[in-house]
Amino acid sequence: MSKTSNALNTPGAKLIGYFPAGYPTLDESVEAAVAMCDAGVDVLEFGVPYSDPVMDGLVIQHATEEALANGFKLKNLFDAVREITSRVNSPVLVMTYWNPVMQFGIAEFARELAAAGAAGMITPDLIPDEAAEWLRISDELGLDRVFLSTPTSSDDRASVTANLSRGFVYAVSTMGITGAREDLDKLARGVVAKIRTADPEQKVAVGIGISTNDQVKEVNGYADGAIVGSVFITSYREGGIEALKSKVRELVAGLN
């Protein structure tokens, strides 16, 4: 299986930025996503609001709840992605829990995603062993498929994840839910090392708890990218588009 990534296909340090679709409204989330890419995010992670976000911290939960309350529907996702990809050069990955994809239809969801110009999908609650149809259709369409690896993943589990991910592996820096933390969990290095041992060609990006420029730089010292989410939502909530762009520029300063 090719490890060629749509998302991390250029050398250098990377910032992967998360923003929820539909927050606070669909049109505003599109403008926020475009602004993030224009300000320096290398890869956009566009999150699908879900009613049971078990992995997400309070900042993301509240944002996705607001998106759902304001009328976000899964069918809106593809038009939003199409609008974003028509306006930016940064690859766009959709992050979604698996139940909405299954309800929509895995093959149909993947085809709609590809037609909208997305690079692929991050699936936090789907393990490769249970992803047969997604593996098949993503191969057919050339979509990135990003699986997660955690500090408690066994060597065998890390090996399967490394071998079946395309684009990169999402290395979870700490056990628990997303959200900014003052100290980035040291276990992140162990997760990255385990993936590198399993497959030296596979790319790895670290997420959960990253919120400062120093942390972004630190992570890029041993991984292929840093994933940031909650701090962008907070910046947008407190200061709108300009604050969001300012935060992106702050986090990418000095990366390359």
Side-chain angles (χ1 to χ4, degrees):
M1 184 206 74
S2 170
K3 299 297 191 302
T4 301
S5 171
N6 296 313
L8 297 181
N9 58 2
T10 56
K14 295 287 187 294
L15 175 65
I16 302 167
Y18 170 92
F19 201 85
Y23 172 72
T25 66
L26 192 67
D27 288 345
E28 286 172 302
S29 70
V30 168
E31 295 306 317
V34 170
M36 288 173 67
C37 295
D38 289 346
V41 162
D42 297 288
V43 178
L44 177 73
E45 186 181 320
F46 203 47
V48 175
Y50 183 50
S51 58
D52 187 24
V54 294
M55 182 183 161
D56 297 326
L58 289 177
V59 171
I60 294 177
Q61 283 186 37
H62 290 160
T64 55
E65 286 169 1
E66 185 170 340
L68 291 169
N70 287 338
F72 176 85
K73 304 294 183 187
L74 191 58
K75 64 183 180 181
N76 304 141
L77 172 71
F78 308 106
D79 286 339
V81 170
R82 186 176 288 105
E83 174 70 14
I84 295 166
T85 58
S86 73
R87 294 169 58 186
V88 306
N89 294 321
S90 306
V92 177
L93 290 169
V94 165
M95 184 168 187
T96 179
Y97 291 97
W98 196 238
N99 189 59
V101 180
M102 290 182 63
Q103 295 295 321
F104 192 91
I106 298 168
E108 184 179 359
F109 190 97
R111 292 190 179 101
E112 290 278 3
L113 210 59
M121 187 157 59
I122 302 170
T123 52
D125 60 343
L126 178 69
I127 60 174
D129 314 58
E130 299 174 358
E133 187 173 357
W134 170 228
L135 295 174
R136 178 189 61 77
I137 193 69
S138 57
D139 276 342
E140 178 184 315
L141 298 173
L143 291 169
D144 281 356
R145 50 177 183 250
V146 179
F147 296 108
L148 272 63
S149 189
T150 74
T152 60
S153 296
S154 67
D155 290 346
D156 287 345
R157 170 66 60 195
S159 180
V160 170
T161 301
N163 289 330
L164 291 180
S165 292
R166 179 169 51 226
F168 59 91
V169 172
Y170 188 128
V172 177
S173 66
T174 185
M175 299 306 295
I177 56 178
T178 61
R181 290 171 174 82
E182 290 183 5
D183 295 311
L184 188 63
D185 198 323
K186 302 302 182 184
L187 294 176
R189 291 178 182 268
V191 179
V192 172
K194 200 174 287 188
I195 296 297
R196 295 249 197 265
T197 298
D199 187 343
E201 295 183 5
Q202 183 60 270
K203 294 181 181 293
V204 191
V206 174
I208 302 187
I210 302 171
S211 60
T212 69
N213 176 264
D214 285 345
Q215 290 174 338
V216 170
K217 288 178 179 177
E218 178 187 353
V219 165
N220 273 284
Y222 63 87
D224 299 293
I227 303 169
V228 177
S230 297
V231 71
F232 290 141
I233 297 170
T234 299
S235 296
Y236 180 83
R237 186 184 67 232
E238 294 177 351
I241 289 284
E242 290 307 314
L244 178 61
K245 291 193 293 187
S246 177
K247 180 57 68 173
V248 172
R249 295 189 189 105
E250 175 188 323
L251 294 192
V252 299
L255 272 194
N256 293 307

